[in-house]
């Protein structure tokens, strides 16, 4: 149950696109189509942004997209906006009904 | 509207026990997997435990196995986390979350548990 690996921080200017990576292993990210992504603003409750690698819940902007290649999943935010500044966490199914989160990435909008 | 409301948090000494509750409304609780997720102060999210629809399947992160017990009462639309042998490192905000297919689509507001002497 080792945490997934995310960059500690990423940044971008308004209107740009950024990508946050999430690297796991063949026991979690690489084995299942069950990576999810969460946005958390300071002092707020996490919000689901992507599930099952690339699906977007109703109400989430289509500027958010998910993808995966092998053991690395990615969250891309296009047309960056000031309100996107937050912490982002990936999470993967890890077998036997267990889950594992990434360490989180702080997104700064310059 | 889907709603999850945690209660039961507070200050407890190391080695002590505490039970968290989560009251669910706005959805068919008995049809949903449920989870507890925690976040230590200034740290990231950590999955703690899952329970299946009828409560017969319970799963835990290694660090809480043998100390925490997840349970549910479908008649009361409630989820619980019994925590014992608490350690300083268990200090965190504990979130109740609905987990339809190993992702968390609805979260409670969180309940702070502080383990300190």
């Amino acid at each position: 149950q080792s945490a997934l690996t995310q960059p500690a921080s990423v940044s971008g200017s308004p209107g740009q696109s950024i990508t946050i990576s999430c690297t796991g292993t063949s026991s979690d990210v690489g084995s299942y189509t069950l990576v999810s992504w969460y946005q958390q603003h300071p002092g707020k409750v996490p919000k689901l942004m992507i599930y099952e690698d690339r699906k977007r819940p109703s109400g989430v902007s289509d500027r958010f997209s998910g993808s995966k290649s092998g053991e690395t999943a990615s969250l891309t935010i296009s047309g960056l906006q000031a309100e996107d500044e937050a912490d982002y966490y990936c999470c993967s199914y890890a077998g036997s009904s267990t889950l594992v989160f990434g360490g989180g990435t702080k997104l700064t909008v310059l | 509207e889907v709603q999850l409301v945690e209660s039961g948090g507070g200050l407890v000494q190391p080695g002590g026990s505490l039970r968290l509750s989560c009251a669910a409304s706005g959805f068919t609780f008995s049809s949903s997997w449920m989870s507890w997720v925690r976040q230590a102060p200034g740290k990231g999210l950590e999955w703690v435990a899952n329970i299946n629809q009828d409560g017969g399947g319970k799963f835990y992160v290694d660090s809480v196995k043998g100390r925490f017990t997840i349970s549910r009462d479908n008649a009361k639309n409630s989820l619980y986390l019994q925590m014992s042998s608490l350690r300083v490192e268990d200090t965190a905000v504990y979130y109740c979350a609905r987990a339809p297919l190993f992702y968390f689509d609805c979260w409670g507001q969180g309940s702070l548990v502080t383990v300190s002497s």
Side-chain angles (χ1 to χ4, degrees):
Chain A
Q1 295 177 329
S2 298
L4 307 176
T5 301
Q6 297 182 233
S9 63
V10 298
S11 63
S13 300
Q16 288 186 331
S17 294
I18 63 95
T19 296
I20 299 172
S21 62
C22 170
T23 301
T25 69
S26 58
S27 297
D28 38 60
V29 174
S31 287
Y32 310 97
T33 311
L34 288 171
V35 172
S36 52
W37 289 89
Y38 303 86
Q39 176 191 64
Q40 186 180 34
H41 288 107
K44 301 297 186 182
V45 174
K47 176 186 176 183
L48 177 67
M49 305 303 285
I50 296 289
Y51 66 102
E52 292 178 8
D53 287 6
R54 58 178 61 245
K55 296 181 180 179
R56 209 169 32 248
S58 173
V60 171
S61 171
D62 60 4
R63 298 186 298 105
F64 291 83
S65 63
S67 63
K68 191 173 74 177
S69 178
E71 299 171 1
T72 299
S74 299
L75 174 71
T76 298
I77 308 174
S78 59
L80 208 56
Q81 299 179 1
E83 68 208 48
D84 299 332
E85 184 162 295
D87 294 326
Y88 291 84
Y89 296 91
C90 62
C91 182
S92 176
Y93 181 69
S96 301
S97 298
T98 66
L99 294 118
V100 60
F101 276 97
T105 298
K106 180 178 179 61
L107 169 62
T108 300
V109 180
L110 301 170
Chain B
E1 177 194 5
V2 175
Q3 197 167 15
L4 298 169
V5 179
E6 300 95 338
S7 60
L11 175 64
V12 61
Q13 291 187 337
S17 298
L18 206 60
R19 188 176 91 150
L20 301 180
S21 299
C22 172
S25 60
F27 65 102
T28 307
F29 180 75
S30 59
S31 297
S32 299
W33 278 67
M34 297 295 296
S35 296
W36 288 98
V37 176
R38 68 184 178 183
Q39 186 169 35
K43 302 298 184 181
L45 300 172
E46 181 182 33
W47 169 75
V48 174
N50 281 344
I51 188 168
N52 69 352
Q53 293 92 333
D54 66 7
K58 304 176 183 182
F59 309 90
Y60 303 91
V61 68
D62 286 346
S63 60
V64 308
K65 281 180 182 175
R67 300 188 301 121
F68 290 12
T69 301
I70 189 172
S71 63
R72 65 191 299 160
D73 185 336
N74 287 341
K76 295 183 177 179
N77 286 344
S78 292
L79 177 72
Y80 306 101
L81 186 67
Q82 177 68 47
M83 303 181 291
S84 60
S85 301
L86 281 161
R87 305 167 180 168
V88 171
E89 56 264 34
D90 294 319
T91 295
V93 172
Y94 284 74
Y95 294 101
C96 162
R98 188 174 70 174
L101 190 62
F102 302 113
Y103 58 89
F104 311 108
D105 66 344
C106 298
W107 298 65
Q109 85 288 350
S111 184
L112 177 62
V113 173
T114 303
V115 184
S116 175
S117 55

